[in-house]
């Protein structure tokens, strides 16, 4: 990004430089800037402005999705008569080809990447005490089954098989996450009898497979050594590790459904997928990905997804709304049948104030469901495919799910049949309008159902797969970086640029906006013996400001070109914390460096106010953005302005951050290339392991920092790879032996890879250092200060 400079600003700033810096009363504001009049907590203003900006970007995402789509409605001439002018029906083959790139991108972002395991048929699950046959209905048997999906992960649930004749169709019937297959089959209580759609489809001659989903039950779990624990829903627990590894619980559960479809297609059969609540979500995604599915029925789920950031975090898909809403997903099912049932949906509240991500599910509003269905029809308008979309409303959108109308629509569209009439497939034991008891529940032959054990098996398999992916990830990243040429610094700088671009667009996320004119405002904040300090605010994007504190040494003389150190606070920190007060983590390091003659700037980063900033990440992720999509342009604006100051050497601007500021040190300097060096303090470690491990007590899985997980770092950028984006600029790690962020061995392991790049590959080992000191999570300010003096070419008073 080009530096923003103006001749008028430079001229005004020179007035200040040429004035005696030791004057009794320094200027009330930095000359060349406007007065800063913003009152109250500026950090709060900053976070609130970013919140407004992101909400606006979410709304704009609907129109912006069009750039990703190139629907082909090419005509397939199938005959013409005056009565039946179907000659202009769009070609299904051409249409499906046109959306295939979208399918591939969807599969990528929900983590459908692992090869499925071929199998002949599901396994029956039984023992000498408990046979696999667990129930009988009128005209069908119910078996406990499991089937391979991917890796060592299986689907597990019930299979309802007609006892006579071939099935009219095969169906995957998916319950909500808080329902069991047994509930949907009517073997145990939990689902209203009218909504037991797995049972009702089996009674109508379908072969029905009912998979188990991971539940939303809140469970306490511990690290391997028992020292750390957390209470999360089962779904969030698995989501955290999977997300870091470029996988997703949604993708895992879709894979289980598609594995069932693999089995169904071994015979010439028609296939339908139906689901309610979370099951509706899985049905929609499965239908969008796999054209072998002839029809889907989505109940209690279909909606506008613009508020997906409010939903439970396991529905957070990085980049979803950049390309897909529910209408776009359904457009990939078309020209196959899409049945949307507006009905009661699951109601869930995960409250704030725990270590879990807050979220909620509410019944979709009928007007929102209708609007999304209409948007779907507009997407495919002119193709005649819109006729395959059916909206069924149950009692104003709040009634029971799995209604006769919805099930009949599924059966008719796929098999040309209808639901079995009462008394034909089941025992008619009486019916009254106020008491519809005309059916008999299926007979349960199982002594009991151990639902908890099955759930734990399913959780364990996915967790084990996530941990296997973690163990394989160094090799995946090595393959990813295979195009990097380290034969010379010139070749390195040429080939690393592709990775920097990928990091910017696919990992961090970049807004396609030019920076606003900075319109810098300032006011005097500190007058100390060796430096003067100013609060500074500048514009970045609409509603987005940058804020920080500039410290100017008082011995700056006319013509001086000073180096700058940008000093970054950590989690819940403020610029003031690095200036005064001797905070236990920062020890006034911005002020101490100013006393050594450096110009320093302490920015306010976004990570403050708990859930307020964490929900910014939730709002950013669906549009393929992160907190750093805001932080990077804020720093670019800051550096552009600093570079324009006449007493600043624009080639000597360094970054030094602790904790979350250390995290910033790994992500911002690779993209704000005006930073000439970076120091990561109290954060550098084997970052992917720290995020994805469910064994280590150091893992973020055990914390309330639910925003920390970044999609697919496991397959792309650990800290060694991020450091490669900083190279060949100087890079340093500051590490306290007693810092609880990570153990020494993982810090050393990851740093050794960086050192190898700098010294063994590029021959610039003098630009890469680590300082180990006997201390905690804190700025040590010794080796790092020497590093700054050395590489910023500024006299060191200690030498």
């Amino acid at each position: 990004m080009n530096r923003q400079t103006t001749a008028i600003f430079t001229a005004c700033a020179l007035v200040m430089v040429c004035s005696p810096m030791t004057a009794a009363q320094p200027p009330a504001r930095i000359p060349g800037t406007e007065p800063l009049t913003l009152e109250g907590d500026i950090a709060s203003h900053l976070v609130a402005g970013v919140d407004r900006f992101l909400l606006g970007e979410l709304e704009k995402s609907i129109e912006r999705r069009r750039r990703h789509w190139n629907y082909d409605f090419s005509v397939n001439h199938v005959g013409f008569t005056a009565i039946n002018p179907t000659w202009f029906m769009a070609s299904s083959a051409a249409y499906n080809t046109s959306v295939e790139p979208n399918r591939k991108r969807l599969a990528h972002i929900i983590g459908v990447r692992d090869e499925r395991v071929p199998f002949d048929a599901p396994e029956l699950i039984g023992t000498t005490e408990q046979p696999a046959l667990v129930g009988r209905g009128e005209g069908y048997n119910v078996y406990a089954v499991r089937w391979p999906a991917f890796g060592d992960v299986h689907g597990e649930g019930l299979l309802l098989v007609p006892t006579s004749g071939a099935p009219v169709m095969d169906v995957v019937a998916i319950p909500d996450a808080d329902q069991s297959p047994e509930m949907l089959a009517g073997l145990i209580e939990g689902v209203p009898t009218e909504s037991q759609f797995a049972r009702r489809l089996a009674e109508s001659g379908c072969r029905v497979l009912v998979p188990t989903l991971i539940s939303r039950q809140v469970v306490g779990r511990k690290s391997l050594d028992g020292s750390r624990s957390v209470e999360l829903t089962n779904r969030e627990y698995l989501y955290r590790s999977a997300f870091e590894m470029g996988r997703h619980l949604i993708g895992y559960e879709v894979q289980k459904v598609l594995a069932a479809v693999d089995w169904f297609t071994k015979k010439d059969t028609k296939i339908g997928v139906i689901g309610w609540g979370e099951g509706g979500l899985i049905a929609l995604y499965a239908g969008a990905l796999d054209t072998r599915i002839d029809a889907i029925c989505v109940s209690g789920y279909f909606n506008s997804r613009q508020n997906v950031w409010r939903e439970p975090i396991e529905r957070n898909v990085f980049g979803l709304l950049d390309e897909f809403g529910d209408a776009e997903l359904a457009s990939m099912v078309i020209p196959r049948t899409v049945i949307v049932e507006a009905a009661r949906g699951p109601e869930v509240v995960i409250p704030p104030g725990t270590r879990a991500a807050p979220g909620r599910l509410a019944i979709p509003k009928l007007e929102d469901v209708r609007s999304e269905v209409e948007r779907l029809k507009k997407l495919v308008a002119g193709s005649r495919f819109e006729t395959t979309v059916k909206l069924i409303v149950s009692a104003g959108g709040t009634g029971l799910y799995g209604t006769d109308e919805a099930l009949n629509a599924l059966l008719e569209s796929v098999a040309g049949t209808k639901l079995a009439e009462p008394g034909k497939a089941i025992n008619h034991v009486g019916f009254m309008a106020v008491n519809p008891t005309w059916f008999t529940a299926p007979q349960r032959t199982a002594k009991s159902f151990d639902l908890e054990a099955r759930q734990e098996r399913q959780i364990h398999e996915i967790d084990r797969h996530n941990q296997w992916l973690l163990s394989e990830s160094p090799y995946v990243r090595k393959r990813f970086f295979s195009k990097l040429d380290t034969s010379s610094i010139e070749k390195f700088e040429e080939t690393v640029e592709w990775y920097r671009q990928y990091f910017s667009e696919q990992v961090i996320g970049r807004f396609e906006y030019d920076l606003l004119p900075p319109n810098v405002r300032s006011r005097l904040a500190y007058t100390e013996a060796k430096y003067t300090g100013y609060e500074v605010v500048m514009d970045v994007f609409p509603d987005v400001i940058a804020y920080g504190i500039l410290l100017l040494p008082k011995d700056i003389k006319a013509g001086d070109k000073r180096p700058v150190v940008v000093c970054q606070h950590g989690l819940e920190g403020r610029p003031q914390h690095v200036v005064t007060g001797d905070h236990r983590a920062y020890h006034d390091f911005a002020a101490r460096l100013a006393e050594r003659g450096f110009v320093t700037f302490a920015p306010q980063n976004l990570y403050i106010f708990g859930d307020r900033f964490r929900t910014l990440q939730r709002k950013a992720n669906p549009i393929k953005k992160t907190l750093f999509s805001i932080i990077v342009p804020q720093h670019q604006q800051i550096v552009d302005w600093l570079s324009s100051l006449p007493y600043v050497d624009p080639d000597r601007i360094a970054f030094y951050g602790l904790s979350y500021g250390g995290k910033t040190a790994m992500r911002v300097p690779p993209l704000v290339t005006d930073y000439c060096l970076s120091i990561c303090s109290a954060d550098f470690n084997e970052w992917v392991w720290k995020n994805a491990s469910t064994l280590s007590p150091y893992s973020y899985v055990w914390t309330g920092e639910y925003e920390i997980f970044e999609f697919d770092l496991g397959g792309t950028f650990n800290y060694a790879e991020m450091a490669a984006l900083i190279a060949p600029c100087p890079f340093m790690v500051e590490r306290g032996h007693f810092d609880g962020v990570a153990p020494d061995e993982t810090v050393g392991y990851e740093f050794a890879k960086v050192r190898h790049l700098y010294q063994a590959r590029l021959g610039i080992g003098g630009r890469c250092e680590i300082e180990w000191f006997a201390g905690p999570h804190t700025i040590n300010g010794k080796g790092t200060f020497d590093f700054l003096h050395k590489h910023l070419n500024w006299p060191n008073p200690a030498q």
Side-chain angles (χ1 to χ4, degrees):
M1 213 170 287
N2 293 327
R3 292 173 177 149
Q4 313 268 328
T5 58
T6 63
I8 185 170
F9 177 83
T10 302
C12 292
L14 278 167
V15 174
M16 185 180 77
V17 176
C18 295
S19 301
M21 297 301 291
T22 55
Q25 184 59 44
R29 67 178 187 272
I30 300 169
T33 68
E34 297 298 315
L36 175 58
T37 59
L38 190 60
E39 298 298 330
D41 188 341
I42 298 180
S44 184
H45 285 294
L46 188 156
V47 171
V50 172
D51 187 66
R52 291 192 299 272
F53 175 78
L54 290 175
L55 288 173
E57 292 300 298
L58 281 167
E59 284 306 306
K60 293 174 186 175
S61 70
I62 297 175
E63 289 300 315
R64 289 174 177 168
R65 286 173 210 156
R66 293 182 179 183
R67 71 188 189 276
H68 294 295
W69 296 85
N70 186 27
Y71 296 114
D72 186 347
F73 299 136
S74 298
V75 172
N76 180 22
H77 294 269
V78 294
F80 172 81
T81 67
I83 301 174
N84 183 30
T86 58
W87 59 270
F88 58 88
M89 179 70 76
S91 163
S92 298
Y95 181 81
N96 279 320
T97 299
S98 73
V99 298
E100 188 59 27
N102 306 91
R103 283 200 181 95
K104 289 180 178 178
R105 286 192 291 269
L106 176 64
H108 180 82
I109 65 176
I110 65 170
V112 176
R113 306 186 190 182
D114 304 295
E115 288 188 13
R116 290 197 295 278
V117 178
F119 65 100
D120 292 329
E123 305 170 25
L124 298 177
I125 302 175
T127 68
T128 55
E129 293 294 320
Q130 174 61 66
L133 181 65
V134 297
R136 292 189 179 91
E138 190 71 20
Y140 65 94
N141 290 333
V142 185
Y143 298 92
V145 296
R146 76 171 195 158
W147 59 99
F150 55 92
D152 293 329
V153 177
H154 296 77
E156 192 168 341
L158 299 180
L159 179 63
L160 287 64
V161 183
T163 54
S164 61
V168 299
M169 62 182 286
D170 284 322
V171 178
V172 182
I174 314 171
D176 179 58
D178 287 335
Q179 297 173 335
S180 71
E182 290 76 13
M183 294 176 186
L184 214 55
L187 293 173
I188 64 175
E189 294 182 352
V191 170
T193 52
E194 301 92 331
S195 296
Q196 293 167 6
F197 51 85
R199 170 186 63 77
R200 300 191 68 201
L201 289 167
E203 291 168 349
S204 301
C206 299
R207 181 170 59 170
V208 183
L209 185 64
V210 191
T212 301
L213 296 192
I214 301 301
S215 78
R216 301 187 193 95
Q217 181 183 3
V218 176
V219 175
R221 299 186 184 275
K222 293 183 178 181
S223 58
L224 187 62
D225 65 2
S227 65
R228 299 293 297 276
S229 63
V230 70
E231 290 190 351
L232 300 172
T233 68
N234 290 326
R235 296 187 71 80
E236 182 175 353
Y237 172 71
L238 295 175
Y239 156 87
R240 290 184 171 196
S241 299
F243 195 76
E244 193 78 10
M245 304 313 302
R247 303 303 195 275
H248 205 290
L249 187 57
I250 290 173
Y252 287 156
E253 293 184 327
V254 166
Q255 285 276 61
K256 293 180 182 183
V257 171
L258 298 187
V261 173
D262 293 341
W263 173 54
F264 287 157
T265 55
K266 289 180 180 294
K267 294 185 178 181
D268 185 15
T269 182
K270 295 292 187 179
I271 301 170
V273 178
I274 179 174
W276 179 72
E278 211 71 20
L281 179 157
I282 301 302
L284 177 59
Y285 281 74
L289 288 181
D290 199 325
T291 58
R292 297 174 300 174
I293 297 169
D294 295 293
I296 65 167
C297 179
V298 179
S299 181
Y301 173 77
F302 200 85
N303 201 351
S304 166
R305 296 262 82 84
Q306 297 309 110
N307 287 322
V308 68
W309 61 271
R310 295 181 184 271
E311 298 175 20
I313 197 169
E314 66 270 12
R315 291 187 175 183
N316 177 51
V317 176
F318 187 67
L320 177 69
L321 297 185
D322 183 57
E323 187 166 352
F324 308 100
D326 282 4
E328 285 80 9
L329 292 171
S331 77
M332 292 190 290
V333 181
I334 287 171
R336 295 162 290 139
T337 300
V338 177
I339 302 160
V340 173
E341 185 177 45
R344 177 192 308 165
E347 295 181 272
V348 176
V349 176
I350 303 169
T354 69
R355 292 183 183 179
R360 63 177 57 241
L361 295 177
I363 298 173
K365 295 179 181 178
L366 180 57
E367 58 267 32
D368 292 338
V369 179
R370 288 191 188 278
S371 176
E372 194 71 4
V373 169
E374 287 306 308
R375 203 167 66 80
L376 166 61
K377 291 181 178 180
K378 287 179 182 178
L379 289 175
V380 296
S383 66
R384 288 268 179 117
F385 290 158
E386 64 266 30
T387 60
T388 65
V389 179
K390 305 178 189 302
L391 173 61
I392 293 163
V393 179
S394 174
T398 61
L400 292 174
Y401 50 94
T403 59
D404 286 7
E405 188 177 359
L407 298 185
N408 275 321
L410 180 65
L411 287 164
E412 289 171 359
S413 65
V414 177
T417 186
K418 292 186 177 182
L419 283 170
E421 296 179 14
K424 295 289 181 69
I426 53 180
N427 293 324
H428 193 149
V429 296
F431 175 86
M432 293 183 296
V434 295
N435 184 27
T437 58
W438 47 263
F439 57 86
T440 298
Q443 177 189 358
R444 193 172 103 178
T445 60
K447 296 178 181 178
S448 63
F449 294 105
D450 195 344
L451 308 185
E452 185 175 340
R454 181 178 61 198
Q455 183 73 197
E456 279 304 312
R457 286 195 298 272
Q458 292 280 283
I459 293 167
H460 175 70
E461 286 187 350
I462 292 177
D463 182 36
R464 184 172 59 189
H465 186 75
N466 286 339
Q467 299 311 298
W468 176 79
L469 290 171
L470 175 60
S471 70
E472 293 289 302
S473 65
Y475 309 104
V476 176
R477 292 191 297 275
K478 187 174 182 179
R479 287 196 301 272
F480 177 69
F481 261 78
S482 62
K483 293 184 288 186
L484 186 64
D485 187 342
T486 58
S487 60
S488 68
I489 288 183
E490 293 74 23
K491 287 289 187 182
F492 173 82
E493 290 184 312
E494 178 184 337
T495 56
V496 80
E497 195 56 37
W498 182 90
Y499 292 97
R500 182 173 289 112
Q501 192 77 8
Y502 187 98
F503 186 65
S504 172
E505 295 178 358
Q506 304 300 324
V507 177
I508 297 299
R510 181 172 64 86
F511 285 107
E512 297 176 359
Y513 292 124
D514 292 332
L515 296 176
L516 294 175
N519 184 28
V520 183
R521 290 87 78 195
S522 66
R523 64 186 172 211
L524 183 65
Y526 300 93
T527 303
E528 301 294 337
K530 292 188 176 182
Y531 64 84
T532 301
Y534 292 88
E535 285 187 295
V536 179
V537 170
M538 62 192 77
D539 297 330
V540 180
F541 295 145
D543 283 322
V544 178
I545 60 172
Y547 163 59
I549 293 174
L550 179 71
L551 300 185
L552 299 172
K554 287 189 172 181
D555 63 351
I556 295 178
K557 298 178 177 61
D560 277 1
K561 289 287 187 179
R562 294 291 178 100
V564 180
V565 183
V566 173
C567 302
Q568 190 62 66
H569 63 77
L571 180 66
E572 299 294 339
R574 296 173 179 269
Q576 291 78 3
H577 294 161
V578 304
V579 177
T580 60
D582 195 24
H583 188 285
R584 67 183 183 279
Y586 307 118
H587 302 299
D588 305 342
F589 77 107
R592 289 168 59 198
L593 287 167
E595 291 169 350
R596 288 173 173 243
F598 295 99
V599 173
T600 68
F601 189 86
Q604 176 69 62
N605 267 5
L606 278 175
Y607 36 79
I608 187 171
F609 307 123
D611 284 337
R612 279 184 65 192
F613 91 81
R614 293 193 166 100
T615 55
L616 297 181
Q617 183 85 316
R618 293 292 315 274
K619 293 165 185 171
N621 274 186
I623 52 174
K624 203 177 180 181
K625 303 297 186 293
T626 65
L627 292 176
F628 284 94
S629 303
I630 298 292
I631 293 171
V632 166
Q634 286 175 322
H635 276 259
Q636 186 65 62
Q637 190 76 302
I638 288 166
V639 170
D640 288 347
W641 174 68
L642 289 171
S643 298
S644 73
L645 298 175
Y647 43 84
V648 165
D649 184 346
D651 295 323
R652 292 188 290 167
I653 302 178
F655 187 94
Y656 185 178
L658 175 133
S659 193
Y660 225 122
K663 183 181 179 186
T664 308
M666 302 307 301
R667 290 159 179 79
V668 169
L671 302 180
V672 181
T673 54
D674 304 86
Y675 282 125
C676 70
L677 70 78
S678 182
I679 299 175
C680 177
S681 176
D683 184 71
F684 188 92
N685 70 100
E686 215 278 40
W687 183 258
V688 172
W689 164 82
K690 181 173 175 60
N691 281 266
S693 175
T694 54
L695 302 177
S696 169
Y698 295 95
S699 176
Y700 277 116
V701 168
W702 313 116
T703 76
E705 295 176 66
Y706 56 82
E707 88 295 345
I708 209 80
F709 306 95
E710 296 159 285
F711 185 65
D712 202 18
L713 281 193
T716 53
F717 296 90
N718 206 337
Y719 270 11
E721 288 79 20
M722 292 185 200
L725 302 183
I726 296 170
C729 294
F731 173 72
M732 184 173 183
V733 170
E734 186 174 43
R735 163 67 187 177
H737 287 301
F738 306 115
D739 190 335
V741 162
D744 281 349
E745 55 266 31
T746 61
V747 177
Y749 164 77
E750 194 68 12
F751 182 76
K753 294 183 281 185
V754 182
R755 178 72 175 171
H756 179 81
L757 172 67
Y758 272 78
Q759 182 163 334
R761 295 290 183 179
L762 299 179
I764 52 173
R767 301 185 193 178
C768 180
E769 296 183 23
I770 186 170
E771 181 189 38
W772 304 87
F773 66 95
H777 191 73
T778 186
I779 294 286
N780 192 45
K782 295 179 181 177
T784 51
F785 282 20
D786 292 342
F787 190 79
L788 288 167
H789 281 286
K790 173 184 175 182
H791 291 287
L792 295 180
N793 193 26
W794 187 250
N796 190 340
Q799 295 177 353

